[in-house]
Amino acid sequence: MRLFSGLVASLAASAGLASAFNVNCNSNYVSYYGQNSAGNQKTLGEYCKDSTEDLIVLAFMNGFPNIIMNFANACETTFPGSSLLHCPNIAQDIKYCQSQGKAVILSMGGASGAYGFSSDSQGAQFADTVWNMFFKGSSDQRPFDDAVLDGIDLDIEGGGGSGYVGFINQLRSHYASDPGRQYYIAAAPQCPYPDSYLGSTLNSAWFDMVFVQFYNNYCGLNAYPTWFNYADWDNWAKTSSVNKNVKIYIGAPGSPSAASSGYVSGSTLSTIYSAVRSQYSSLGGIMTWDVSQARTSGLAGAIRSALDSGKTCSSNPGGGGGTTTTTTTTSKTSATSTTPTSTVVEYTTTSTTSQPTTTSSPSTCPVNGGKCSGNQQGCSGQKFAICNGGSWWVSSCAPGTYCYLNGNMATCDWANGRPTDGCSVSGSMSFSKRQDLIAVNKITKPSLRPKPANAKSKTSTRVEFVVSELANNQFSTVIKIQTNKDAFSGNWSISFTLPSGQKIESTSRGSASTNGNTVTIKSDISREESKNMAAIFKISGTYTGEYVLPDTNTASFATS
């Protein structure tokens, strides 16, 4: 591998830094920037004034190939006569961060947006556009002016998996045209292996770094060591990845409100990191969502301290440039059959008005060695199935859990009132005695998408209710409000119906009032940013009987 060189390396040397970002080390700290998740996001340059983070991921380009970008309050200006963001301040900050030895890459995708490719050829064509707009190419409109990024991250959570191999191969051919500089390809898959959107791409294209999101899933950090599955990703890195020296990162929420589930304290994360580092040479470091959350909670400082103790760096060849070799391999994932010991229950609910079509059941449920196609996944009671080379590979869920389809992905989960028999297979709408979509008033882990709230302004938002803790008839529930496109002001409120038997005692953001069973949370304008893409906070109170999350269909959001 070529050392981090060119303009960035020379600037780092002139600034007196000992070294620049080194992809071959296991002590790198990566954090996402741009979505103002904590509500107090600073400029990019402010986060680069110290040595906490090694690599910053700009989030997001959430629309492509018709480009849409969103960086919340960090950039709101556009090119004249265009909706494309023009961010000169971020451009200057990118160059400053690079002068401090940090790498800056752009994330494509995210949890919401309109993106995806129809084919590899369309992906390759878009790679030309990306090179011209964000790297060493030329374009009439460059969102970051003459700043040159260090790479691209794929955080694909929708839109299908087509075209990304063509995109990566073509972008790497552009990388190779500038051999004096190191460029990177990264991905941010969910922790269940294989990833439902990027699974085939991860096996077929070059990646330098993979930031695995060990949160919002059964295999998250909060499930360590029972269901935490870093071993699956290490096995992928060494057996199935095109780049056998790819680095795997432990992705963590930056605070309790940064994700629906998966947050652990700094000391616990340090313990997990040390254990992984002692066992797996694929480790690259830790990633957090996002920098505003991790800096506010103090987790970022704890991560930096953990990473600085006993780091090692390899001399593996590789890097983002050069030609691409495609390999075809097969691998199997393992299931752990031990019982979790955590006493904290974390759930979410999402309301839906549609139900799956119930027809005749599949002629056979997935069985080991049975025929399947493509990237199909399936469920049969307490067993999950993955299509591997045209044949089903079937394994058992952890004791007490059952397999349910989340879109096209099989996930082991608590039943929570759902059917526990019959089978279902992705790519078909055939179900037998089961219904993978759940009723509004059921509690389930965070596997379903949030629903739109009724907005009393021009800002379209989505709201999600997530249980943080249930104990002794007391509850803490996280409320997540997010807009997909237009920012909302610091003067906002959200109202919703509180289920029977519940009483709110406090809110971590703004003030709460109750009228009958309708609760209204109103922001404190003096403590809010003028423009926001999200508001995430926690309400606490008491309940009697069975705890039920609020119905998102009753939520109403207003902003001026």
Side-chain angles (χ1 to χ4, degrees):
M1 169 188 159
R2 296 182 298 275
L3 293 177
F4 196 83
S5 57
L7 175 61
V8 176
S10 63
L11 287 172
S14 66
L17 297 176
S19 62
F21 169 72
N22 186 342
V23 71
N24 288 323
C25 295
N26 61 10
S27 58
N28 290 311
Y29 180 23
V30 173
S31 202
Y32 282 75
Y33 171 86
Q35 289 303 296
N36 194 20
S37 178
N40 58 359
Q41 178 173 268
K42 301 177 182 178
T43 65
L44 174 62
E46 283 295 316
Y47 294 115
C48 292
K49 288 183 176 179
D50 58 41
S51 60
T52 305
E53 292 84 16
D54 299 295
L55 186 151
I56 302 289
V57 187
L58 303 178
F60 290 103
M61 180 198 290
N62 61 332
F64 59 84
N66 297 318
I67 295 179
I68 300 173
M69 302 174 69
N70 187 311
F71 302 113
N73 61 327
C75 177
E76 299 177 274
T77 57
T78 61
F79 287 100
S82 170
S83 61
L84 180 65
L85 287 181
H86 180 211
C87 311
N89 292 334
I90 292 182
Q92 292 303 311
D93 285 347
I94 289 172
K95 290 186 282 188
Y96 171 73
C97 292
Q98 291 170 335
S99 77
Q100 301 304 299
K102 303 178 189 296
V104 183
I105 66 177
L106 174 64
S107 185
M108 295 168 50
S112 61
Y115 57 81
F117 301 122
S118 61
S119 64
D120 275 341
S121 61
Q122 186 184 44
Q125 290 175 4
F126 189 66
D128 296 336
T129 300
V130 168
W131 176 258
N132 289 330
M133 293 180 68
F134 300 101
F135 293 94
K136 283 290 188 71
S138 61
S139 174
D140 292 337
Q141 294 182 330
R142 288 178 57 93
F144 304 135
D145 294 333
D146 61 346
V148 177
L149 293 174
D150 297 299
I152 287 292
D153 166 58
L154 298 178
D155 181 13
I156 307 305
E157 301 182 37
S162 300
Y164 293 105
V165 173
F167 170 80
I168 293 170
N169 289 347
Q170 181 66 7
L171 187 59
R172 291 189 71 237
S173 71
H174 287 298
Y175 285 1
S177 70
D178 184 21
R181 183 166 181 159
Q182 183 65 65
Y183 297 101
Y184 304 102
I185 300 289
Q190 308 289 313
C191 62
Y193 179 84
D195 184 79
S196 59
Y197 291 107
L198 281 177
S200 60
T201 301
L202 287 166
N203 289 341
S204 305
W206 180 282
F207 287 90
D208 298 286
M209 298 168 284
V210 174
F211 313 134
V212 181
Q213 299 181 46
F214 287 106
Y215 46 90
N216 292 343
N217 270 296
Y218 66 92
C219 43
L221 290 164
N222 57 322
Y224 177 86
T226 308
W227 295 338
F228 179 68
N229 67 336
Y230 187 97
D232 289 337
W233 289 98
D234 176 77
N235 180 65
W236 165 81
K238 295 172 180 176
T239 62
S240 302
S241 174
V242 173
N243 174 16
K244 296 301 186 290
N245 296 313
V246 63
K247 292 298 183 181
I248 309 299
Y249 285 67
I250 300 171
S255 76
S257 62
S260 299
S261 67
Y263 174 78
V264 294
S265 66
S267 59
T268 299
L269 183 56
S270 177
T271 298
I272 295 172
Y273 166 75
S274 296
V276 171
R277 185 178 63 186
S278 68
Q279 290 181 267
Y280 304 107
S281 60
S282 62
L283 181 64
I286 294 174
M287 173 274 285
T288 54
W289 174 268
D290 67 350
V291 67
S292 66
Q293 294 273 9
R295 289 292 191 109
T296 302
S297 69
L299 184 65
I303 289 173
R304 186 70 269 166
S305 296
L307 292 169
D308 287 341
S309 60
K311 75 173 185 179
T312 59
C313 301
S314 66
S315 57
N316 293 327
T323 58
T324 299
T325 302
T326 301
T327 61
T328 301
T329 58
T330 59
S331 63
K332 293 183 178 180
T333 184
S334 59
T336 305
S337 59
T338 54
T339 302
T341 58
S342 173
T343 57
V344 177
V345 186
E346 301 187 64
Y347 306 106
T348 184
T349 187
T350 301
S351 56
T352 178
T353 56
S354 62
Q355 301 294 331
T357 303
T358 301
T359 60
S360 59
S361 62
S363 57
T364 58
C365 292
V367 294
N368 262 326
K371 291 184 179 180
C372 57
S373 61
N375 295 318
Q376 278 190 305
Q377 298 188 23
C379 292
S380 180
Q382 290 187 291
K383 295 183 181 295
F384 65 91
I386 296 174
C387 190
N388 186 13
S391 299
W392 285 118
W393 178 75
V394 181
S395 188
S396 298
C397 293
T401 64
Y402 297 83
C403 182
Y404 296 93
L405 280 183
N406 172 23
N408 289 323
M409 183 173 66
T411 301
C412 295
D413 198 358
W414 306 107
N416 294 315
R418 288 176 288 180
T420 57
D421 57 357
C423 59
S424 52
V425 174
S426 66
S428 69
M429 292 305 292
S430 297
F431 299 86
S432 173
K433 294 188 188 177
R434 65 186 296 136
Q435 181 177 304
D436 289 335
L437 296 179
I438 61 171
V440 167
N441 65 341
K442 295 297 182 183
I443 303 174
T444 180
K445 288 186 178 179
S447 58
L448 299 181
R449 297 288 185 188
K451 287 291 182 181
N454 296 316
K456 294 181 178 179
S457 72
K458 295 181 180 179
T459 303
S460 176
T461 57
R462 301 174 75 85
V463 63
E464 185 177 10
F465 298 96
V466 181
V467 173
S468 175
E469 187 172 1
L470 297 176
N472 301 320
N473 290 105
Q474 294 182 319
F475 71 87
S476 292
T477 298
V478 174
I479 300 178
K480 303 171 68 176
I481 305 167
Q482 180 179 351
T483 176
N484 294 338
K485 184 177 181 182
D486 298 317
F488 55 87
S489 76
N491 185 14
W492 56 264
S493 65
I494 182 170
S495 300
F496 55 90
T497 301
L498 196 67
S500 176
Q502 296 181 22
K503 180 181 179 181
I504 288 183
E505 297 180 338
S506 64
T507 175
S508 65
R509 193 164 180 171
S511 59
S513 61
T514 303
N515 183 10
N517 63 346
T518 299
V519 174
T520 299
I521 310 294
K522 184 172 177 56
S523 66
D524 181 349
I525 302 176
S526 66
R527 302 183 64 181
E528 294 283 339
E529 296 287 339
S530 60
K531 298 291 184 179
N532 301 273
M533 298 305 297
I536 304 175
F537 56 95
K538 183 182 294 186
I539 58 173
S540 300
T542 60
Y543 69 97
T544 58
E546 179 182 358
Y547 181 77
V548 178
L549 282 166
D551 181 353
T552 54
N553 281 337
T554 69
S556 178
F557 179 77
T559 182
S560 62

